[in-house]
Amino acid sequence: MKKLELHWQILIGMLAGLLFGFIALQLEWQQFVADWIKPLGTIFVKLLKLIAVPLIVASLIKGISDLKDISKFKNIGVRTILIYIGTTIFAITLGLLLVNILQPGDGISQETVDKLTNTYANSSGVTAKISEASKQKSSGPLQFIVDMVPDNAVSAMSDNKAMLQVIFFTIFLGISMLLIGEKKAKPLKDFFDGLNDAILKMVDLIMLVSPYAVFALLANVVVTSGDPDILLALLKYAGTVVIGLLLMIVFYSILVSVFTKKNPLWFLKELSPAQLLAFSTSSSAATLPVTMERVEEHLGVDKEVSSFVLPVGATINMDGTSLYQAVAAVFAMQVLWPEGLSFGNQISIVLTALLASIGSAAVPGAGMVMLVIVLESIGFPKELYPVALALIFAVDRPLDMLRTTINVTGDATVSMIVAKSVGKLGKPKPKEWDDHYDEVK
Ligand code: ASP
């Protein structure tokens, strides 16, 4: 696979994984896949997560300490948050429009509801999501800000879910480094610069096995997927989400071309390895190191911008997840609780889905947990929660893969726009040896 571009290698790995998965399903090799194929994918995802925290710390410190002037950072911060909120509101509104126009709840018979309820309502997947949601919502409105401030830097860094805490500590440290002056900060800055380069090299090394890893990840997705009849019954709902997510790609392309004057096809091509990984892993957090590498080296966004915008985006900006929550909530109402479909409730969905996407963890299936919180906000009958989740559980995995791809694309789009607006969008500087084994040796 020497000279083939990385995204083609990954794509071939994915297709081979799908094909192998279908063959394994026919031959009933599920156990073989679980024992011998799946671990390769798991190790790959672990490797990516392993480097996420050190990469965020090193690159954010480098980004801030290169700034020279703190007011610039405020500028980047405010723009980032405002644009993130804007794209998320757009995504939710688009989801609501589509689900109201296409009415995916119409075609679902009582028989399908019963079948899904029997299969999934008491499954551990559904009950775990409901109990996790009740844990999250028992907190007050400012809790997420309180949670952002760590009381122990080391324990924050040892917890992949505490990404915002790590970002908070790192920004604090970076700003303080600016304040003590260049000379005193130099040893620390040199240390983090070196760490940053070494970790980016680790990303390159890990990516060398990505075509094989996505093979394993997708083969496993296929052999663990549900009953095809059920999937078919939910086709209209899944189709609505998919149309919405595809329209988001069009939306991002327009944003990139209007605000940065770059060709959107070039943007999508250069970002594609990160998008394909997001699709294969269903986790924007695991994809983050690759997103950072693509955006900085292949799209030309300066580290001063990307080192802040991308890690923050991975945690608080989830356009795909928000769109999905809007569609799923209204779909569940169309099937189970049509009397709740008021205009006021739809507005409530916009607000809660926005907050929920900020609060969602960037891990597989997180969107379903937050959906319970959205349903709660509109007074959806409690006893129907398991049925509502059962309705969407069967197709959640493929939709999770797609919405994660959109989440990552949204973060990259916003980093391009913010970079352009502060004069930090430069020429891409891909390293020649990047994506090929022979060149790394
Ligand atoms: N898996 C998604 C992500 O990591 C979150 C979700 O929608 O479940 O971005």
Side-chain angles (χ1 to χ4, degrees):
M1 285 200 193
K2 200 178 136 211
K3 286 289 171 228
L4 215 51
E5 280 183 276
L6 183 63
H7 58 272
W8 289 119
Q9 295 180 28
I10 299 179
L11 213 54
I12 292 171
M14 290 168 72
L15 291 176
L18 284 177
L19 196 68
F20 181 81
F22 283 117
I23 295 171
L25 211 51
Q26 302 309 317
L27 300 175
E28 299 192 5
W29 281 357
Q30 283 89 336
Q31 199 53 44
F32 172 78
V33 173
D35 289 343
W36 296 100
I37 307 282
K38 185 180 170 204
L40 177 61
T42 312
I43 292 172
F44 177 72
V45 171
K46 283 174 106 174
L47 284 176
L48 286 170
K49 289 187 176 164
L50 167 73
I51 56 173
V53 169
L55 179 61
I56 293 172
V57 175
S59 73
L60 200 49
I61 293 269
K62 185 168 162 49
I64 296 178
S65 55
D66 282 347
L67 271 179
K68 309 267 184 286
D69 169 12
I70 306 180
S71 65
K72 245 198 218 159
F73 185 65
K74 208 178 83 205
N75 225 338
I76 295 175
V78 172
R79 275 166 213 228
T80 306
I81 305 291
L82 288 180
I83 305 178
Y84 274 157
I85 292 177
T87 55
T88 305
I89 292 181
F90 177 87
I92 301 168
T93 315
L94 177 65
L96 284 179
L97 272 178
L98 286 172
V99 71
N100 280 297
I101 295 170
L102 300 174
Q103 298 280 343
D106 270 1
I108 306 284
S109 63
Q110 189 54 40
E111 193 194 328
T112 312
V113 176
D114 292 343
K115 192 170 173 193
L116 286 165
T117 311
N118 290 336
T119 322
Y120 295 107
N122 293 315
S123 73
S124 57
V126 165
T127 43
K129 303 250 160 9
I130 294 178
S131 73
E132 207 175 308
S134 71
K135 252 189 266 154
Q136 296 203 16
K137 69 185 177 225
S138 56
S139 44
L142 289 184
Q143 189 60 35
F144 83 99
I145 301 183
V146 176
D147 288 344
M148 222 179 315
V149 184
D151 55 4
N152 184 321
V154 179
S155 75
M157 284 184 211
S158 68
D159 180 1
N160 270 348
K161 288 196 226 64
M163 203 103 91
L164 286 181
Q165 295 195 348
V166 174
I167 294 170
F168 178 91
F169 171 75
T170 313
I171 292 176
F172 201 3
L173 178 64
I175 291 178
S176 305
M177 281 169 64
L178 280 182
L179 294 175
I180 60 175
E182 229 169 275
K183 202 163 144 250
K184 280 205 180 127
K186 190 167 184 305
L188 210 48
K189 185 171 180 312
D190 289 346
F191 167 77
F192 283 114
D193 279 359
L195 182 64
N196 181 63
D197 286 345
I199 303 246
L200 279 176
K201 174 59 80 184
M202 288 168 93
V203 178
D204 291 332
L205 293 173
I206 295 170
M207 285 306 278
L208 292 176
V209 294
S210 57
Y212 308 100
V214 293
F215 169 88
L217 287 164
L218 286 194
N220 187 55
V221 166
V222 174
V223 296
T224 52
S225 62
D227 176 352
D229 287 346
I230 291 188
L231 298 185
L232 227 53
L234 294 173
L235 208 59
K236 200 165 165 200
Y237 153 69
T240 309
V241 178
V242 173
I243 292 174
L245 295 177
L246 291 177
L247 288 175
M248 285 306 289
I249 295 276
V250 177
F251 173 60
Y252 295 138
S253 300
I254 294 173
L255 289 183
V256 166
S257 115
V258 170
F259 289 102
T260 71
K261 308 275 179 285
K262 300 271 184 200
N263 183 344
L265 292 179
W266 164 82
F267 165 73
L268 292 173
K269 175 171 168 271
E270 295 302 322
L271 185 65
S272 58
Q275 293 172 312
L276 295 174
L277 278 199
F279 183 83
S280 308
T281 61
S282 290
S283 165
S284 5
T287 314
L288 182 62
V290 183
T291 317
M292 290 176 84
E293 194 246 15
R294 298 309 297 186
V295 167
E296 283 164 22
E297 291 179 8
H298 298 259
L299 291 172
V301 173
D302 199 285
K303 198 181 267 314
E304 286 170 25
V305 174
S306 61
S307 67
F308 172 75
V309 179
L310 293 173
V312 169
T315 1
I316 73 165
N317 182 53
M318 299 197 177
D319 298 342
T321 304
S322 322
L323 182 142
Y324 149 87
Q325 280 170 345
V327 175
V330 174
F331 168 69
M333 293 207 288
Q334 287 170 346
V335 179
L336 302 170
W337 190 52
E339 58 276 25
L341 279 167
S342 64
F343 184 69
N345 271 348
Q346 307 230 9
I347 297 292
S348 269
I349 292 178
V350 176
L351 293 176
T352 348
L354 173 66
L355 292 176
S357 94
I358 295 176
S360 291
V363 293
M368 264 185 91
V369 175
M370 300 319 272
L371 178 64
V372 179
I373 296 174
V374 172
L375 289 177
E376 151 114 323
S377 77
I378 48 176
F380 192 86
K382 248 197 169 68
E383 64 285 2
L384 290 179
Y385 287 175
V387 187
L389 285 201
L391 266 185
I392 57 170
F393 195 73
V395 280
D396 192 57
R397 180 68 203 219
L399 295 183
D400 194 1
M401 296 160 85
L402 283 171
R403 62 188 192 242
T404 309
T405 311
I406 301 302
N407 291 345
V408 166
T409 313
D411 298 345
T413 305
V414 175
S415 71
M416 295 275 287
I417 298 174
V418 173
K420 177 77 182 177
S421 77
V422 294
K424 292 283 171 194
L425 186 63
K427 282 223 166 356
K429 34 188 180 315
K431 304 217 175 68
E432 284 312 321
W433 41 261
D434 253 9
D435 302 334
H436 300 103
Y437 182 63
D438 285 4
E439 291 155 0
V440 179
K441 263 197 299 198

